[in-house]
Amino acid sequence: MTATPPVRILLCDDHVVVRAGLLALLGSEPDIEVVGEAGSGEEAVALAAKLTPDVVLMDLQLGEGIDGVEATRRIAATGVHVLVLTTYDTDADITRAIEAGATGYLLKAERPEELFAAIRSAAQGRTTLSPPVASRVMARMRKPLPTLTERELDILAQLSQGLGNRDIARALFISEATVKTHLGRIYDKLGVDTRAGAVAVAKEQRLLP
Amino acid sequence: MTATPPVRILLCDDHVVVRAGLLALLGSEPDIEVVGEAGSGEEAVALAAKLTPDVVLMDLQLGEGIDGVEATRRIAATGVHVLVLTTYDTDADITRAIEAGATGYLLKAERPEELFAAIRSAAQGRTTLSPPVASRVMARMRKPLPTLTERELDILAQLSQGLGNRDIARALFISEATVKTHLGRIYDKLGVDTRAGAVAVAKEQRLLP
DNA sequence: GGCCCCATCAGCCGATCGGCTGATGCGGGG
DNA sequence: CCCCGCATCAGCCGATCGGCTGATGGGGCC
């Protein structure tokens, strides 16, 4: 067997501390080489195009600029594997990341060995999910959870501003009747029966940007 | 001038990556020595008592077990300085950390030099706040923001479950009239006029645990 | 050309909400 | 001792909400 070249990694996280941590952890692995660091989504997209790494380690929360999902979408579109490494394991985040083309989804709480293994898998295009994430994905398969339509998300966004039906109607240029129809379906999908409950679920599940 | 002994640090963060990052960053500073690491609040409290570090670097979000605020409270009570290092800068988090006795409040997005400086300050009991945090504190001083009473938080918690007035009343063993009175005051303090709006602010501001 | 999803709208009605005025009791601080 | 913040409760009333039934039209998909 010939010596395999190291896996080339691009880091993307807005926190210096996290980048330093990843750098330190990955530095101990001979077959993994960090070839670049980005502190924003825009930077990551540019560097990924320039460096063509084997894997991009991407945080979903990036503070300023485009978010991790959008960065993932753009980078994945160029054929580079993106391994999402983030703090949260909500359904909405996972779904959006996967739809954006992420190769894997890891939680920052994961043990370093898992991270290394996931990176090596991702370099070959194989998918790795953190156990809690995998569980949620499985659960989602069994019970088709709330998948709100875009219009319903519009309504939900207005609702989360505390607006009444009339104001929502005006904001979206539709009638109150339509607002109420959408609200009813939103309640069904989210498993609630009041606007307060809907807002709670929306915030909890991070359904809104 | 005699050589000053290094500042002795205890890290507390539930993410291995972050601990590794801090370890790497602080390792480059000769006058700062990391004497211990904790992955949970309980561990941090125990280690702080055993090691009596000069400063504890404390994250507020700790996953399982007691949260960072509670850990801060217990450690600060023993006279050890706690420097909060976290991701969020919401009013509620800042307020609770300060009330718990934190010596300073830094954001993870802060530049490493600021972190070093803050650690050295904290070792001497001096307070350091990240600029965004300082701004919020000042703003708070100027305009006495929502300070909900405990009872109001009880109501808000039930409200955030999507419960109606009757159910809230039953849950808290009070009459509907009282619930409505509290709700009115909550609306005033949060600057909203619907339950949906109140829930939105509550979640946004992390007013509930 | 049907079928289904989605978005749109209407009207009805009982339940709930939000604002109002006003009242009681308790505890702490000046 | 009085004042004030806090928690408790009552009643009233117009506005809003949530559930219901039912209808129309556009766009995919087979």
Side-chain angles (χ1 to χ4, degrees), chain A residues 147-166:
Chain A
T147 307
L148 300 189
T149 68
E150 272 205 33
R151 204 51 170 161
E152 284 160 358
L153 284 177
D154 291 340
I155 306 280
L156 191 54
Q158 300 299 320
L159 180 57
S160 294
Q161 307 284 317
L163 298 188
N165 291 344
R166 185 174 306 129

Side-chain angles (χ1 to χ4, degrees), chain B residues 69-81:
Chain B
V69 172
E70 183 54 31
T72 296
R73 192 184 316 283
R74 298 190 194 172
I75 293 172
T78 69
V80 174
H81 295 128

Side-chain angles (χ1 to χ4, degrees), chain B residues 1 4-10 22 24-34 53-57 81-84 103-106 111-129:
Chain B
M1 188 143 89
T4 42
V7 179
R8 302 174 64 247
I9 302 287
L10 170 63
L22 290 171
L25 288 176
L26 299 180
S28 67
E29 299 298 293
D31 62 333
I32 296 178
E33 180 191 1
V34 176
D54 297 310
V55 177
V56 178
L57 273 190
H81 295 128
V82 177
L83 179 56
V84 170
T103 299
Y105 195 109
L106 279 198
R111 289 165 38 238
E113 298 76 42
E114 296 299 327
L115 171 60
F116 303 149
I119 289 177
R120 296 188 185 103
S121 289
Q124 297 170 23
R126 281 187 276 119
T127 286
T128 303
L129 302 178

Side-chain angles (χ1 to χ4, degrees), chain A residues 14-18 20-22 24-25 85 87-88 108-112 115 159-164 193-197 199-200 203-204, chain B residues 14-18 20-22 24-25 85 87-88 108-112 115 159-164 193-197 199-200 203-204:
Chain A
D14 59 330
H15 293 154
V16 178
V17 170
V18 175
L22 290 170
L25 288 176
L85 179 67
T87 304
Y88 304 103
K108 282 185 183 170
E110 201 59 79
R111 289 164 39 238
L115 171 60
L159 180 57
S160 294
Q161 307 284 317
L163 298 188
D193 58 355
T194 64
R195 16 188 82 215
V199 173
K203 297 283 185 182
E204 211 74 56
Chain B
D14 59 330
H15 292 154
V16 179
V17 171
V18 175
L22 290 171
L25 288 176
L85 179 67
T87 303
Y88 304 103
K108 282 184 183 169
E110 202 58 79
R111 289 165 38 238
L115 171 60
L159 180 57
S160 294
Q161 308 284 318
L163 299 187
D193 57 356
T194 64
R195 19 188 79 218
V199 173
K203 298 282 186 183
E204 211 74 58

